[in-house]
Amino acid sequence: MKNMYRMIPIMLLCQFLLSGCADLSFENQSPQVSPVTVEVSFWNPFGGGEGEFVEKIIKDYNASQGEVFVKQLRLESNEYYARLSTALSFGKGPDVAVVHADRLSPFIKAKQIVPLNALAEQGGFEFNKISEQNLQSVSYGGQYYAVPLDTHFHMLYYNKDILAKAGLLTPEGTPKLEENTPEGFIRLLRQIAARVPGVQPMAVNTPYFQESFLDLYYESGGELFSHDMKKASIYNEKSVRVLTFYQQLFEEGLSDLNDNTPWDSFYNGQAGLWFGGVWEAGHHLSNNALDIGIIPLPPIFGSSAHWGSSHTLVIPAYVSEEEQEGAMNFMKYFSEVGGEIWGEAGHVPANLDIAESRAYRELPYRDRFIQSRDQVKFAPKTDKYAALFTAMSEELQNIVRNRIQPEAGLKVLEKSLNQILAN
C-alpha cells in the first residue's frame, strides 16, 4: 500500500457533518497509536455487550499488523442510519461502515457504496467462504456490495426455574409444549400464570413489535409484498390470526402490554418465556442468578420460518484507492478471524469455516442456533424497504397499543405500504 495520511482528522469531519458527533466520538473511539501507513475510520451502531466484542476485534486487528490502523466511531443505533446517510450524501465520512443487509439497496442504487469483487480478489478475500443465504443478501447485478458478518434472529429463551415450578419442564430441560399450535402455546402460558403467580408467563417485545409479529407471520407462510414488489400483501387471514394471538396474550394478562423493557423483565426473573435475539445469549447466560435455556422458536403457526437479518460491512464510494485496500484488509480480518469473537457475542458467523468449527459449535446452544439460522427469512430486496419497514412498525405498534381490531388496522397498513410502493 502507498504511504498516505488522512488529511482531515475524523473529529473535525464529524463536527463538519454531524452535529453533536464530537462528544460521542471521544467516548467511543479506539485509542490513538503511532502513525501507520493507512488509517481507516470504522462507523458502527454496536453498543452494550456487542460493543465490547467489536472493541476487542479492532484492538486485536490493530495489534496484528502495522500497515492499517482502524479507528472506530460508535453511534447510537436509533440515529445511526440518518447520520450515515448524511455522510454518504456529503461524500465525507467513514471508510468502512456497518449496514444491515436489508438497508443495502438504496445505497447501491445511489452509487454510494462500491462493489467488492475486485477488491476482494486483490486482497485475498474469498466470498465462497460465506454462507449462501448471506451471499444472496449482498449480491446485486452479479456483484457483491458488502461482506456479511452474521445472521441474527430470535430464539425462545426460557427460565428453567419458573417452568420447573409450573411442572412444565421436560426431563431434557426444555419447555413442555404438548401441542405446536397457537392454542397449545396459550395453554402453556395459562398454566404458568396459574402455577407461578407474580411473573409474566411470556414477555413480548412490544417496543419492537414488528419483529415479534414477523416471527409468527413468517411461520404462518405470510409474505409482505407481491413477487414483483408492486403491491403489499399483508392484509390476509394469516396476519389477522397472528395479531389476534398476541392481543389475546395481552387481554388475558399472559403478557404485559405496558412492559417497555421486556428483555430486562426476563433477565430479572420476572418472565417465564421470551423471544430474544441470539445477540442476547451472552448477556442472559452470564446471569448466575438464573438458569436459562434456549431453543428455536416453536413452529406454532405451522412452519419454522422466522424473521432474521444480517450485519454487513461496506466501503463508501468516496474512499480513496489506498484506504479501500486498508478497509478491505480489515473486513477480511473481521470475517475470517474476528468472526470467532463475533460468534461469542451470539450472532451466527457468516464465515462458514467459523460457523462449522468445533470451537464455535461447542459454545452453549450453538447447535440450536445453527438449526434456527437455516430457517431465517430475510427481508425482500428493495430500495424502499426502510420506508416500508418504518410504516409497518408504526402501524403494528398502533394496532397493539390501542387495541385496534386486526382487520381494520391491517387495512390501514396495507394502504400505507401500497402508497410507498407506488411512489
Side-chain angles (χ1 to χ4, degrees), residues 198-232:
V199 302
Q200 282 188 74
M202 176 175 167
V204 172
N205 195 353
T206 48
Y208 299 94
F209 181 69
Q210 68 280 358
E211 294 176 3
S212 302
F213 169 81
L214 288 176
D215 279 330
L216 300 187
Y217 182 57
Y218 287 158
E219 275 195 3
S220 71
E223 297 287 346
L224 296 178
F225 312 106
S226 61
H227 183 71
D228 59 8
M229 288 300 299
K230 291 183 178 180
K231 293 287 184 181

Side-chain angles (χ1 to χ4, degrees), residues 200 203-207 256 258-268 270 274 401:
Q200 282 188 74
V204 172
N205 195 353
T206 48
D256 183 359
N258 298 313
D259 186 353
N260 293 320
T261 56
W263 43 85
D264 286 338
S265 296
F266 181 78
Y267 182 81
N268 294 326
Q270 298 167 348
W274 163 242
R401 290 289 185 187

Side-chain angles (χ1 to χ4, degrees), residues 57 60-61 64 330-343 351 354:
I57 292 170
D60 289 352
Y61 173 72
S64 72
F330 170 61
M331 291 157 70
K332 178 177 186 293
Y333 179 92
F334 201 130
S335 173
E336 296 177 355
V337 181
E340 294 183 10
I341 297 173
W342 199 229
N351 185 287
I354 295 174

Side-chain angles (χ1 to χ4, degrees), residues 55 134 250 360 375 381 414:
E55 188 72 29
N134 286 118
F250 301 135
Y360 175 75
Q375 303 298 326
K381 289 182 179 180
E414 183 148 296

Side-chain angles (χ1 to χ4, degrees), residues 381-412:
K381 289 182 179 180
T382 170
D383 58 320
K384 300 178 181 179
Y385 188 71
L388 293 164
F389 193 74
T390 298
M392 183 167 58
S393 303
E394 292 175 351
E395 190 54 43
L396 288 170
Q397 278 277 351
N398 185 45
I399 292 171
V400 296
R401 290 289 185 187
N402 296 305
R403 293 179 167 85
I404 295 172
Q405 287 296 317
E407 293 88 345
L410 288 164
K411 276 186 180 180
V412 173

